[in-house]
Amino acid sequence: MYSSEVPRLKVFFAGIFVNVFSWGVWWMAASEVYNTFSLIADGSALVKINVVGLWVSVGFIGVGLFSLASPGVALFTGKRADAVWGRKGHSISNYVIVFFAIIGVFSAIYFYKSMTTSLADKGYVYCRPLTKFSATGRHEVYVAKPELCVKPN
């Protein structure tokens, strides 16, 4: 069996680290989505859409809320958050995380359709040679002029 007591100073610094990391990931994804919408609105010659980033901008909010609440509870009570919340509180936090993850999927689909429809209306074409797969997902590239769709050497 393990103790539910936690050292408050360690929890404070661990909470800061977890929050900086989780909200930093969220900020990067959300700003990438915003920048993509800005590029479309400005009529940029080349637009990249990060398909996974569309999900993270909404789907990661539940994890971020949990990362805010959990260290705070441990800091103020001196006990592990799951010991304070109990089984019911842990279940509720799981539902919140899953809810935002599911809403994130629907918002990603909506954002993706909105972006591709807007790009098609403005005459952009999908550029397969410039589209990349990476650890952060699929980065689709759309170009304003077909002659821009050339893979650099």
Side-chain angles (χ1 to χ4, degrees):
M1 204 86 195
Y2 60 89
S3 172
S4 65
E5 296 291 322
V6 294
R8 291 182 184 201
L9 192 60
K10 285 184 181 179
V11 167
F12 176 73
F13 287 116
I16 288 174
F17 174 75
V18 167
N19 278 296
V20 166
F21 177 76
S22 62
W23 288 105
V25 168
W26 177 82
W27 179 258
M28 287 179 6
S31 64
E32 187 173 336
V33 172
Y34 174 77
N35 288 337
T36 303
F37 274 115
S38 294
L39 290 173
I40 294 170
D42 293 342
S44 178
L46 184 111
V47 176
K48 295 180 183 179
I49 298 176
N50 181 354
V51 178
V52 174
L54 296 175
W55 171 80
V56 173
S57 63
V58 175
F60 213 70
I61 292 174
V63 173
L65 292 175
F66 184 72
S67 75
L68 282 175
S70 184
V73 167
L75 180 66
F76 290 118
T77 64
K79 296 183 179 187
R80 292 172 46 104
D82 60 345
V84 173
W85 289 338
R87 199 178 276 269
K88 186 171 183 159
H90 190 69
S91 175
I92 290 171
S93 69
N94 285 342
Y95 284 126
V96 168
I97 290 170
V98 169
F99 171 77
F100 277 103
I102 292 171
I103 294 299
V105 169
F106 289 114
S107 68
I109 292 168
Y110 173 76
F111 287 154
Y112 181 76
K113 290 299 286 178
S114 172
M115 287 179 179
T116 55
T117 302
S118 179
L119 288 168
D121 291 345
K122 292 184 177 194
Y124 284 79
V125 292
Y126 174 69
C127 181
R128 188 174 187 96
L130 296 178
T131 296
K132 296 180 182 177
F133 288 93
S134 71
T136 59
R138 181 177 173 173
H139 300 266
E140 293 185 356
V141 176
Y142 292 84
V143 292
K145 300 173 190 166
E147 59 267 11
L148 295 174
C149 187
V150 178
K151 192 169 189 172
N153 292 330

